[in-house]
Amino acid sequence: MKTPSERRAALIRLVESKTVTRVTPPLLLPAAPYLDLAGEEFGRGLLLTTANDGRDYCLRPDFTLPIAVSYLDEGLLDVPAAYTYLGTIFRQSENGPEEFDQAGLELLGQPDAGQALDQVLTFARWALAIYGVTAPSIRLGGVGLFEAFLAAADISPAWQARIRARFGHPEAMQRLVERLSRPPEKTGGAAPDGRETVIEIVTDAMLSSGLSLVGSREPEEIADRYLEKQTLAAERIPDRMVRLLREYLEVSDTAPRALDRIASLTASYGIDIEEPLLEVRNHAAALAALSPKAEVIFDASFSPRLDYYTGIVFEMTGEDGAILASGGEYDRLLDRLGAPQPVTASGCALWIDRLEAEAASR
């Protein structure tokens, strides 16, 4: 068994190999990109400070975002890049401020996205092996597969967007599916016609109730939300598609069996998603070959809670269930940061403190 210092040295060799560039983003970063991309839920975990000019900054909560920003700022579009990192991140938890060691790999602008993902999976397995973790529990998810499933199903674009927004949020998704499974609600009277009419009705209602039009939700926002609900109600998802959605999200098994189940299930409804299914099959097979002692599970409902993930995602956990490594494909991140053209991206993060604890328990 290696000592902690020997494991650290081996990890440094991995992140400083000749095929990658080790980078160290600043400790203090602008907070706005994190709040814009990850929203209030992630924002609660930031350690924030405000500069004299009124702008908010945070102690580095991850490495992926600043690496992606730097890639764009340096004008590296169309240039394949491979970055590694090893350093401290800072998060706010229920117990107060905490800091953790993380290592990882980010592959940006690679010409072969599938090969890049396999490199990320290999990097994660090599890192876990340094700590003696040769048979982790591995969970795969298919963000791209789920989006292809929604696009091929008899579901309107408005409902597709709403369902996709809940992917990775099991409780919210369950509530939505249960509501869709109930008979449609009957409304008394006809809905107001036209956005301007709705805005005027909302404004009158707010004023007559003594509500201020300043410092609260604006009538336009309420009206748009109301009209969205009316549109969704008018475009109700067919009952058979609601049943299919529920059955799809319930699939969780070893990767071959789970993907076979999805193929059979969708085919029975006349839906063809063989191409994205084949992509997941290939990566699952490569991961199984890379980790012959591990059981690779495909969970159809699994997704990170960040909506910039686009393809295959994964988690590798230890004996106590703690996540040791996680990552996947996140092509939408660069687009959200303002890239003028599509940029492939995949990567993973490793929790070094948890890996050390795992090694110590063996």
Side-chain angles (χ1 to χ4, degrees):
M1 176 65 71
K2 294 179 181 177
T3 65
S5 60
E6 289 172 333
R7 290 192 289 268
R8 187 73 171 191
L11 183 62
I12 291 173
R13 288 194 296 272
L14 179 62
V15 300
E16 294 183 349
S17 65
K18 294 180 180 179
T19 58
V20 297
T21 300
R22 181 178 175 180
V23 294
T24 306
L27 287 176
L28 198 61
L29 297 164
Y34 286 101
L35 297 173
D36 291 343
L37 287 167
E40 183 180 345
E41 181 179 3
F42 189 86
R44 287 195 293 268
L46 300 179
L47 291 170
L48 296 166
T49 185
T50 303
N52 291 337
D53 60 4
R55 284 188 286 186
D56 290 329
Y57 290 82
C58 61
L59 283 175
R60 184 176 63 209
D62 85 331
F63 285 88
T64 301
L65 183 57
I67 287 174
V69 170
S70 177
Y71 176 82
L72 292 179
D73 288 347
E74 293 176 14
L76 296 177
L77 287 175
D78 297 322
V79 178
Y83 301 106
T84 53
Y85 56 84
L86 173 58
T88 306
I89 63 168
F90 304 86
R91 301 278 178 89
Q92 180 76 262
S93 73
E94 294 179 356
N95 300 320
E98 293 186 285
E99 54 185 80
F100 310 92
D101 272 354
Q102 268 197 354
L105 170 68
E106 310 292 346
L107 299 179
L108 305 178
Q110 300 293 321
D112 187 330
Q115 185 179 67
L117 177 62
D118 284 339
Q119 290 175 348
V120 167
L121 294 169
T122 301
F123 177 90
R125 286 296 297 115
W126 284 350
L128 265 61
I130 290 173
Y131 293 85
V133 182
T134 57
S137 298
I138 302 175
R139 180 165 67 148
L140 290 180
V143 176
L145 180 63
F146 185 65
E147 291 177 351
F149 162 74
L150 290 178
D154 184 15
I155 299 174
S156 71
W159 273 114
Q160 287 183 43
R162 195 163 190 179
I163 294 168
R164 172 63 184 89
R166 287 159 175 74
F167 193 47
H169 301 261
E171 293 181 359
M173 181 69 84
Q174 182 178 358
R175 287 196 301 269
L176 179 62
V177 173
E178 287 178 352
R179 186 163 66 83
L180 290 172
S181 300
R182 296 196 293 266
E185 298 177 1
K186 295 182 179 180
T187 58
D193 183 24
R195 182 173 183 270
E196 293 303 321
T197 301
V198 178
I199 291 173
E200 288 305 312
I201 292 173
V202 171
T203 301
D204 290 342
M206 291 178 69
L207 292 173
S208 63
S209 301
L211 298 175
S212 171
L213 300 181
V214 180
S216 60
R217 292 178 65 191
E218 296 181 351
E220 290 82 1
E221 180 185 355
I222 297 173
D224 288 341
R225 181 71 180 125
Y226 171 82
L227 291 170
E228 179 191 5
K229 286 184 176 180
Q230 293 298 310
T231 300
L232 291 172
E235 298 177 346
R236 182 172 173 81
I237 301 174
D239 290 342
R240 62 190 298 272
M241 287 296 108
V242 176
R243 289 194 299 272
L244 174 59
L245 175 63
R246 183 189 295 275
E247 291 181 73
Y248 180 99
L249 293 170
E250 289 174 348
V251 173
S252 181
D253 204 336
T254 59
R257 289 201 295 262
L259 297 172
D260 284 347
R261 170 62 181 150
I262 290 174
S264 174
L265 182 63
T266 52
S268 70
Y269 281 79
I271 292 174
D272 179 10
I273 53 171
E274 270 307 310
E275 185 173 341
L277 263 174
L278 179 60
E279 181 182 356
V280 179
R281 288 184 192 277
N282 289 340
H283 288 295
L287 189 52
L290 186 65
S291 309
K293 296 181 181 180
E295 187 173 57
V296 181
I297 299 295
F298 181 83
D299 182 348
S301 67
F302 167 54
S303 170
R305 303 184 85 137
L306 299 169
D307 69 359
Y308 53 70
Y309 281 91
T310 51
I312 295 171
V313 292
F314 69 92
E315 286 180 348
M316 298 179 180
T317 58
E319 292 180 354
D320 63 354
I323 298 173
L324 307 176
S326 62
E329 297 173 294
Y330 56 92
D331 294 359
R332 264 192 294 266
L333 176 59
L334 281 296
D335 176 68
R336 296 276 298 275
L337 292 173
Q341 64 190 55
V343 180
T344 61
S346 59
C348 68
L350 310 163
W351 295 85
I352 306 307
D353 307 79
R354 298 173 188 173
L355 283 165
E356 277 294 349
E358 190 80 11
S361 68
R362 294 177 180 273

